[in-house]
PDB file of all heavy atoms in Angstrom:
ATOM      1  N   ASP A  38      33.260   4.109   7.774  1.00 98.00           N
ATOM      2  CA  ASP A  38      33.162   4.769   6.521  1.00 98.00           C
ATOM      3  C   ASP A  38      32.095   3.936   5.757  1.00 98.00           C
ATOM      4  O   ASP A  38      31.787   2.840   6.079  1.00 98.00           O
ATOM      5  CB  ASP A  38      34.573   4.598   5.750  1.00 98.00           C
ATOM      6  CG  ASP A  38      34.609   5.499   4.564  1.00 98.00           C
ATOM      7  OD1 ASP A  38      33.889   6.474   4.485  1.00 98.00           O
ATOM      8  OD2 ASP A  38      35.313   5.118   3.583  1.00 98.00           O
ATOM      9  N   VAL A  39      31.564   4.595   4.697  1.00 98.00           N
ATOM     10  CA  VAL A  39      30.633   3.968   3.889  1.00 98.00           C
ATOM     11  C   VAL A  39      30.841   4.352   2.384  1.00 98.00           C
ATOM     12  O   VAL A  39      31.283   5.495   2.180  1.00 98.00           O
ATOM     13  CB  VAL A  39      29.135   4.400   4.307  1.00 98.00           C
ATOM     14  CG1 VAL A  39      29.081   5.875   4.411  1.00 98.00           C
ATOM     15  CG2 VAL A  39      28.108   3.869   3.403  1.00 98.00           C
ATOM     16  N   HIS A  40      30.708   3.467   1.526  1.00 97.00           N
ATOM     17  CA  HIS A  40      30.734   3.713   0.119  1.00 97.00           C
ATOM     18  C   HIS A  40      29.708   2.987  -0.584  1.00 97.00           C
ATOM     19  O   HIS A  40      29.294   1.875  -0.271  1.00 97.00           O
ATOM     20  CB  HIS A  40      32.083   3.343  -0.528  1.00 97.00           C
ATOM     21  CG  HIS A  40      33.180   4.334  -0.279  1.00 97.00           C
ATOM     22  ND1 HIS A  40      33.559   5.297  -1.147  1.00 97.00           N
ATOM     23  CD2 HIS A  40      33.939   4.480   0.792  1.00 97.00           C
ATOM     24  CE1 HIS A  40      34.482   6.003  -0.617  1.00 97.00           C
ATOM     25  NE2 HIS A  40      34.797   5.539   0.607  1.00 97.00           N
ATOM     26  N   HIS A  72      39.818   3.025   4.666  1.00 98.00           N
ATOM     27  CA  HIS A  72      39.412   4.353   5.029  1.00 98.00           C
ATOM     28  C   HIS A  72      38.972   4.466   6.534  1.00 98.00           C
ATOM     29  O   HIS A  72      39.226   5.257   7.336  1.00 98.00           O
ATOM     30  CB  HIS A  72      38.240   4.966   4.112  1.00 98.00           C
ATOM     31  CG  HIS A  72      38.679   5.133   2.759  1.00 98.00           C
ATOM     32  ND1 HIS A  72      37.883   5.650   1.793  1.00 98.00           N
ATOM     33  CD2 HIS A  72      39.888   4.947   2.161  1.00 98.00           C
ATOM     34  CE1 HIS A  72      38.512   5.767   0.612  1.00 98.00           C
ATOM     35  NE2 HIS A  72      39.768   5.378   0.792  1.00 98.00           N
TER      36      HIS A  72
HETATM   37 MG1  LIG B 213      35.878   6.639   2.193  1.00 84.05          MG
END
Side-chain angles (χ1 to χ4, degrees):
D38 196 27
V39 52
H40 280 267
H72 294 180

